[in-house]
Amino acid sequence: MAESSQRKKVVVVGAGWAGLGATYHLAKQGYDVTLLEAGSYPGGLVAGWRTSGGRAVEAGIHGFWYPYKNIFSLINELGINPFTNWTRSSQYSPAGLEVESPIFQDLPRLPTPLGTFVYTYFKRLPLIDRLSALPLLYAVIDFDNSDEAWRRYDFVTARELFKDFGVSARLYRESFEPMLLVGLFAPGEQCSAAATLGMLYFFILAHQPDFDVVWCRGTIGEKIFRPWVERIEKAGGNLLANKRVTDVIVDSNNQATGVVCGDEVFDADAVIFAVGITGMKKIISSSAHLQSHEQFRNVTNLGAIDVLATRLWFDRKINIPRPSNACFGFDETTGWTFFDLNALHDEYKNEPGTVVEVDFYHANQFIPLENKEIVPIVQRYLAHCIPQFQTAKVIDSSVIRLPQAVTHFTPGSYRYMLPARTCLKNVFMSGDWIINRHGSWSQEKAYVTGLEAANLAISYLGEGNLANILPVEADEPHIQLARTVNRAARYVGKSILPDFWLP
């Protein structure tokens, strides 16, 4: 691919973790890559910007957990240092502090899930309630991220799952549902049991240190995406902002030959979509070619969740014990988190007052409110957790509404999600909602699926080296053994018993 005119053309749609990951690897392999971003800058929902007063804001705060091997490898390759040290976290309810988590990797490693159970400090939750989670371990073992396991558990709600396995009402209310509200962004009755098990296993249960997290020391857009984009452009990638895709041109051989943005057409030998569910539904709604395929029409059955991201500047320093905090019990169907940006962001370390990021998930009831109504609610909620917020004065604020912003893993949604390889020969999918077997979640999954889509394009076009994708850490030996025995038991059961029960 020495001659520019002879290089194969790949068009990538969407400049988040998945799109940037695919574009970067393909550019390094010598492809003529064009990355189209509907917004005014790369990064999608995790990119940040400045207010009119020059203050940094972003669409929520995103953590980087211990299992994010591929993102950490990328950071090393870019030669940047965007992260804090490993941080401890807390959980609050209207009654005050409920849970404190240690840095798990600093403690003697116990077989999973004992470390999570033993080292987490629950201030009020009785031991008997915590012990009621033990039967749930069977579901954790039975759910092995296979297609069969997803189909078996996906039609069940998370609430039904916990009820069926005997989890106490208090443990569900004070532990599991808060995890769902900030992990899958919805209450248990609206979450797939399959997605619940996958999320809990990846972030908490697979290995003791998995819940350990670092945070970006500023906005991800400035600290990570900006140097990454510079590296992509240096490698020959072409990034174009304000390019909203409206259609895909497909020839008689069922191959995409171009991507349409209004009156512009970008020729393509392969196309990679790297947008969220809401963005993909918009593209499908305007594309007669995609609508002609049932696989793409089915995407309209999928949904997304509203997020509200607020940032408050206070007139005084307030002692916040932990930099990252999750909260529950304030609204029945809404979870929220708050972060001490004086501790996390370089920009605010010497700020004379306190800067706090407060993000609400499944926030549909807050979206219609005016900013002047939202800010007092946020301050009141903060004061329930840390009383000093009650007397502090808000001197500046930012409110960002993000309707239909994050994936909603509803019960039964798995059958409508797209795999990386589509019915169009040279159109590939990526993103945190795409079906894959890697086992990762959130930002790590989005980045991994971007690399997987790049690899599919390389295999299809026949030029270049495949990206090296690091697997998740292997299951611990006792979990591997338990899963082997369970699969054998299921196989024997299927060969003996009639197969007429609902999955």
Side-chain angles (χ1 to χ4, degrees):
M1 289 190 277
E3 296 293 332
S4 176
S5 60
Q6 296 177 344
R7 291 190 297 162
K8 298 289 180 67
K9 297 179 182 293
V10 181
V11 174
V12 180
V13 182
W17 282 102
L20 291 170
T23 301
Y24 183 41
H25 184 72
L26 289 169
K28 289 192 295 182
Q29 300 309 305
Y31 283 92
D32 182 356
V33 193
T34 299
L35 176 58
L36 305 176
E37 166 58 37
S40 56
Y41 39 78
L45 289 177
V46 296
W49 58 94
R50 296 269 170 181
T51 66
S52 58
R55 298 182 185 273
V57 294
E58 57 189 324
I61 296 288
H62 302 264
F64 295 80
W65 272 261
Y66 187 87
Y68 281 19
K69 290 184 178 181
N70 289 279
I71 286 182
F72 291 140
S73 177
L74 168 69
I75 296 304
N76 291 335
E77 180 181 343
L78 295 177
I80 57 179
N81 181 31
F83 297 135
T84 65
N85 295 324
W86 299 103
T87 62
R88 296 180 61 186
S89 60
S90 300
Q91 191 174 70
Y92 290 87
S93 76
L97 179 66
E98 297 285 350
V99 182
E100 285 187 296
S101 299
I103 298 176
F104 288 96
Q105 61 195 281
D106 290 345
L107 299 170
R109 188 156 178 169
L110 302 176
T112 188
L114 289 179
T116 304
F117 183 83
V118 171
Y119 295 135
T120 303
Y121 171 63
F122 294 89
K123 187 172 182 179
R124 293 179 235 277
L125 188 64
L127 178 62
I128 188 65
D129 288 281
R130 284 177 271 159
L131 289 173
S132 72
L134 290 177
L136 189 65
L137 288 177
Y138 172 74
V140 172
I141 290 167
D142 190 43
F143 183 80
D144 59 3
N145 198 46
S146 64
D147 180 74
E148 181 184 13
W150 268 90
R151 295 184 184 278
R152 188 161 61 247
Y153 283 93
D154 190 54
F155 288 98
V156 182
T157 71
R159 193 180 190 283
E160 290 171 325
L161 174 77
F162 294 127
K163 182 179 179 180
D164 290 346
F165 280 91
V167 169
S168 77
R170 183 168 181 178
L171 178 63
Y172 175 75
R173 185 177 62 251
E174 297 184 10
S175 183
F176 285 117
E177 183 151 74
M179 291 180 195
L180 294 175
L181 287 170
V182 300
L184 293 182
F185 315 117
E189 66 272 13
Q190 298 181 30
C191 292
S192 154
T196 298
L197 290 169
M199 182 272 293
L200 289 177
Y201 193 67
F202 179 71
F203 284 116
I204 299 173
L205 298 177
H207 308 92
Q208 182 176 301
D210 286 347
F211 193 65
D212 290 346
V213 62
V214 297
W215 305 90
C216 196
R217 300 196 334 265
T219 66
I220 292 176
E222 292 181 355
K223 293 290 186 178
I224 299 177
F225 283 2
R226 182 173 295 175
W228 195 7
V229 166
E230 291 173 357
R231 187 71 65 90
I232 289 171
E233 291 175 335
K234 187 175 181 180
N238 184 28
L239 279 72
L240 302 177
N242 299 307
K243 300 294 182 184
R244 188 172 296 280
V245 171
T246 54
D247 205 351
V248 178
I249 300 173
V250 181
D251 65 15
S252 58
N253 293 320
N254 207 34
Q255 298 178 103
T257 60
V259 174
V260 181
C261 294
D263 296 330
E264 294 180 278
V265 176
F266 296 88
D267 295 335
D269 296 299
V271 176
I272 294 173
F273 283 106
V275 295
I277 286 175
T278 300
M280 195 66 213
K281 287 167 72 171
K282 289 179 181 177
I283 293 171
I284 293 169
S285 69
S286 65
S287 170
H289 289 100
L290 295 181
Q291 290 173 26
S292 67
H293 297 277
E294 182 181 15
Q295 184 183 50
F296 288 101
R297 293 198 304 272
N298 281 342
V299 172
T300 59
N301 289 299
L302 301 175
I305 291 170
D306 297 340
V307 177
L308 180 73
T310 69
R311 186 163 294 188
L312 274 59
W313 286 261
F314 289 91
D315 64 343
R316 68 196 66 176
K317 279 290 176 64
I318 296 170
N319 179 35
I320 303 174
R322 301 283 175 254
S324 61
N325 307 275
C327 305
F328 70 92
F330 292 80
D331 298 276
E332 287 189 1
T333 62
T334 301
W336 60 284
T337 51
F338 71 94
F339 305 92
D340 179 4
L341 297 191
N342 300 85
L344 296 178
H345 282 195
D346 293 347
E347 180 177 358
Y348 299 120
K349 285 193 181 300
N350 298 317
E351 188 86 3
T354 297
V355 186
V356 183
E357 173 80 17
V358 186
D359 302 323
F360 294 84
Y361 315 99
H362 202 262
N364 42 293
Q365 74 271 31
F366 293 128
I367 297 292
L369 298 178
E370 296 183 11
N371 290 6
K372 64 182 180 181
E373 298 173 290
I374 291 173
V375 171
I377 293 173
V378 175
Q379 183 172 8
R380 185 170 71 250
Y381 283 12
L382 286 170
H384 275 290
C385 304
I386 300 175
Q388 291 88 340
F389 276 110
Q390 187 171 356
T391 56
K393 181 181 178 181
V394 177
I395 58 174
D396 199 0
S397 63
S398 167
V399 178
I400 302 171
R401 294 165 181 80
L402 302 160
Q404 302 292 287
V406 294
T407 304
H408 189 185
F409 294 94
T410 58
S413 60
Y414 179 75
R415 56 185 160 168
Y416 302 123
M417 292 180 181
L418 293 176
R421 193 187 302 272
T422 73
C423 55
L424 300 176
K425 297 177 182 177
N426 63 339
V427 174
F428 310 106
M429 303 299 304
S430 59
D432 70 352
W433 60 282
I434 300 304
I435 294 172
N436 84 336
R437 303 272 77 93
H438 184 263
S440 51
W441 277 85
S442 193
Q443 295 177 109
E444 174 79 353
K445 181 181 178 182
Y447 177 55
V448 165
T449 58
L451 297 181
E452 290 176 338
N455 286 348
L456 289 173
I458 289 170
S459 297
Y460 176 80
L461 297 172
E463 298 174 348
N465 298 316
L466 300 180
N468 178 37
I469 300 173
L470 302 174
V472 296
E473 185 177 351
D475 292 331
E476 293 179 6
H478 63 290
I479 300 296
Q480 293 183 36
L481 176 61
R483 285 185 166 165
T484 299
V485 171
N486 182 62
R487 281 192 291 266
R490 278 196 169 275
Y491 176 79
V492 171
K494 281 187 175 182
S495 64
I496 297 174
L497 298 174
D499 188 16
F500 61 78
W501 286 287
L502 279 170

